[in-house]
Amino acid sequence: MKVLVTGGCGYIGAHTIVDLINHGFDVVSVDSNIRSTTQLLDGIEKITGKKIHNYKVDLCNLEDTHAVFHENRDICGVIHFAALKTVPESVAEPLLYFHNNLTSLVNILKCIQEFKIPNFVFSSSCSVYGNTTALPVVEETPLGEAQSPYARTKQMGEQIIQDYSRVNDTQSILLRYFNPVGAHPSALIGELPLGKPDNLVPMITQTAIGKRPKMIVFGHDYDTRDGSCIRDYIHVMDIANAHTRALQYLLDKKNGSNCEVFNLGTGNGVTVLEAIRAFEKISGVKLNYELGPRRPGDVIAIYANNTHAREKLGWEPKTGIEDMMRTAWQWEVSLRDKVLSN
Ligand code: NAD
Ligand code: WQD
């Protein structure tokens, strides 16, 4: 069974490829490397013994995308990760985000339609819920106003797939990730943010290792148990495994409709200060942080109801916050060791 993974050189795509291979799938990747290198493919090979072929193709180019599908007509499905994902960048450059994230999606759907690919899994995001106060969020929670052009590309992407699904036989699943963090336990693959990270966990590990002098906790006067924001951090290997299960669910024809939605979170809300304490505990490093002002656009608290994914996909997140931090830290240390040994 061969699967086409877009964005296979990126953070979540690479971890998912490992899980797919561990479950007996063959994988080909398409990634233009606009936000990555092929470094994680080397890590995948070390972990699994399998060399993954990556087509260095921009999915916004229909001709090139078509050629990839033409060469891989025998795939049983597509898992579509490729997208730009940086919220502040999307605010500064909305057209870049609409063009990249939506043109690529439409091109892929055109190819899926033409080559009659039966199954499709899409990377969506909890950001589609906007500033909701109904917690924990269920898949039926009405989507709020998107807080950024990035989030809007995910809302629009979901709608495009839903409209497409009404008139085509493709079976689709939309996976709404909460906050994916951590790395493969081997520390051979992990998150590789280009430039200064926006996300909490790479900011913590980069500060702890000395790449950044200090970090700011954005807001300490929210109406939460310690004043900092609450998020649902979820280990990237748990996210990865949900993709394998989603694909298998479609292959086994267990889906109730031809476009289903699943939240992927642990269901546990963790504050920023709790995340920092978990990091300090597992690493033994005292983090240099300051309590600072709120970050514009941040929701106060969001966490998932994951009952659908548990019941229908048989999925269960296995990793707690300390192991999320431990694997993220081991990955950061391995990056430093690599630099030191070169
Ligand atoms: P990432 O940036 O590490 O990986 C995305 C990959 O897609 C990159 O390797 C990039 O080069 C590639 N890509 C982007 N546009 C492309 C194009 N037009 N053609 C070919 N390749 C292209 O991101 P990630 O964290 O692995 O995220 C994967 C998916 O999950 C994205 O769709 C993202 O929006 C979504 N998501 C991520 C998070 C998160 O916090 N990481 C949360 C929710 C949803
Ligand atoms: C988490 C918490 C910050 C950095 C983003 C996207 C969302 C989704 C996941 C893709 C917040 C606080 C952070 C720092 C801090 N991505 N923080 N100091 O904002 O929940 O979600 O990634 O779909 O769409 O918006 O994640 O990791 O940026 O922040 O205090 O230096 O950490 O304020 O409370 P967020 P994050």
Side-chain angles (χ1 to χ4, degrees), residues 196-325:
K196 190 173 176 212
D198 293 302
N199 295 118
L200 178 66
V201 173
M203 186 48 96
I204 290 177
T205 58
Q206 290 198 7
T207 305
I209 208 117
K211 282 184 190 164
R212 319 253 152 225
K214 68 169 181 210
M215 63 161 286
I216 308 293
V217 172
F218 297 138
H220 52 95
D221 56 355
Y222 287 105
D223 185 16
T224 60
R225 51 188 175 264
D226 60 20
S228 63
C229 290
I230 292 178
R231 295 289 183 275
D232 188 340
Y233 300 97
I234 166 109
H235 196 269
V236 65
M237 286 310 296
D238 283 328
I239 291 268
N241 181 249
H243 291 76
T244 310
R245 285 176 182 273
L247 184 64
Q248 195 60 54
Y249 174 80
L250 294 177
L251 289 167
D252 294 343
K253 305 202 181 307
K254 289 187 175 161
N255 50 321
S257 76
N258 64 354
C259 186
E260 286 190 47
V261 186
F262 294 96
N263 281 341
L264 297 183
T266 63
N268 301 318
V270 171
T271 70
V272 175
L273 291 170
E274 287 165 353
I276 289 176
R277 271 199 297 281
F279 172 80
E280 291 184 328
K281 182 173 166 203
I282 62 86
S283 66
V285 177
K286 181 88 196 74
L287 194 70
N288 189 18
Y289 69 89
E290 272 176 18
L291 302 179
R294 295 179 176 196
R295 182 171 70 175
D298 265 340
V299 299
I300 302 170
I302 187 159
Y303 48 95
N305 175 314
N306 60 15
T307 310
H308 274 336
R310 283 177 184 272
E311 290 183 351
K312 293 190 184 171
L313 303 180
W315 174 75
E316 194 187 2
K318 294 199 166 66
T319 313
I321 189 72
E322 288 187 7
D323 281 325
M324 296 182 208
M325 291 296 178

Side-chain angles (χ1 to χ4, degrees), residues 104-147:
S104 56
L105 173 62
V106 171
N107 284 348
I108 286 167
L109 290 175
K110 282 181 181 168
C111 293
I112 284 179
Q113 187 177 43
E114 177 178 339
F115 292 99
K116 298 189 169 38
I117 308 302
N119 302 305
F120 181 61
V121 179
F122 176 68
S123 296
S124 189
S125 161
C126 67
S127 61
V128 298
Y129 292 111
N131 236 327
T132 183
T133 47
L135 293 175
V137 281
V138 291
E139 288 79 353
E140 295 74 25
T141 300
L143 305 190
E145 170 80 13
Q147 297 298 298

